[in-house]
Amino acid sequence: MASKTGIERVQAELIEPLVRMGMRKAGNVTAEDHAAFLGRLAERLAYLVEDQLLTLREVLGRHGQGKARDVWPSELSVLSWAHALFPPPESRLASSWMASVEGRRAWDEDPLLAVALHRHLRATGVPPQTRAADHWPGIRSRAAEWARRRTRIEERRDRGPLGGEDAVWLAGLQRALDEVRALVFRGAGTGAAEDAGEDGGAGGGAGGMSGIAGGAGA
């Protein structure tokens, strides 16, 4: 039997099982637009292997939208969860942008902002500002939401052991911070990398603020 292509694998292991479980399109979305949405998901998630798709399917199954929690989450939310859990191969745009002065500027302002910028570049493949749109408000909003969620989880951690979902989120966010830090300071020399890890806790090194990590569920 021929092996499935990446797109076929996403359809067979993620999309079709969720549809059978009752996941449906939003009421204000046309059937044509919904089909296009699912097609884009299949293309964008084609790098995932079967076990990863099963994990993502479980996450999406718990995060349906609407009163009955049975409406597909937004495309950006699905991609955000997928990329936080299983980062896709690095794109040239994302890596070069984060290694530029723009990436360093975002990191110096807030490492979570740099992670949000990196997620945007990976998910959209376009710079944060173009002639058509300014994406910075959304990027900043995402970083702020991650900061709030990190604070809530750290407060729960102070009161006792974390639940599995919280622990997974923090670990994923920490991996994202480490990845982005490596991109931002690539080729900058050992001193710069060390400064990044000691920047008032902002770098979120493993021995420092373990609550910094990527945006699953943001």
Side-chain angles (χ1 to χ4, degrees), residues 80-81 84 115 119 142 146 149 169 172-173 176 213-218:
S80 178
W81 282 316
V115 173
R119 284 285 180 265
R142 181 160 304 230
W146 290 343
R149 182 172 181 179
W169 191 87
L173 210 40

Side-chain angles (χ1 to χ4, degrees), residues 3-203:
S3 60
K4 294 185 178 71
T5 66
I7 291 176
E8 291 172 338
R9 189 165 56 244
V10 176
Q11 292 170 335
E13 305 297 340
L14 180 73
I15 294 174
E16 292 173 3
L18 285 172
V19 171
R20 288 196 296 269
M21 290 166 58
M23 194 75 78
R24 61 183 180 84
K25 72 176 184 67
N28 61 347
V29 175
T30 67
E32 182 179 2
D33 286 345
H34 185 66
F37 154 73
L38 295 179
R40 289 192 302 272
L41 283 186
E43 292 178 356
R44 300 293 293 275
L45 300 177
Y47 71 93
L48 296 176
V49 299
E50 183 175 352
D51 287 348
Q52 295 170 334
L53 287 167
L54 295 179
T55 300
L56 182 59
R57 188 172 81 197
E58 182 178 345
V59 171
L60 297 184
R62 296 199 305 266
H63 290 87
Q65 304 299 297
K67 291 183 179 180
R69 313 293 289 178
D70 62 349
V71 173
W72 278 91
S74 71
E75 183 173 350
L76 193 57
S77 293
V78 174
L79 293 175
S80 178
W81 282 316
H83 293 175
L85 289 167
F86 310 109
E90 190 61 60
S91 73
R92 181 173 298 179
L93 171 67
S95 59
S96 62
W97 194 279
M98 298 311 300
S100 75
V101 65
E102 297 296 336
R104 178 60 188 263
R105 184 179 291 118
W107 179 275
D108 287 346
E109 180 176 339
D110 180 0
L112 287 180
L113 180 63
V115 173
L117 171 60
H118 186 235
R119 284 285 180 265
H120 164 81
L121 292 167
R122 274 185 163 177
T124 67
V126 299
Q129 282 183 299
T130 67
R131 290 184 177 181
D134 179 3
H135 300 278
W136 275 113
I139 294 170
R140 291 184 182 281
S141 175
R142 181 160 304 230
E145 172 56 29
W146 290 343
R148 290 191 293 269
R149 182 172 181 179
R150 179 186 65 188
T151 297
R152 293 194 297 268
I153 292 175
E154 288 179 338
E155 289 173 349
R156 288 195 288 269
R157 184 179 60 191
D158 290 342
R159 297 193 294 268
L162 289 177
E165 186 173 347
D166 283 344
V168 168
W169 191 87
L170 285 181
L173 210 40
Q174 181 61 57
R175 288 193 300 271
L177 237 303
D178 291 343
E179 177 187 9
V180 170
R181 180 172 53 195
L183 290 172
V184 169
F185 294 97
R186 182 178 58 187
T190 303
E194 290 176 350
D195 290 344
E198 298 173 1
D199 188 14

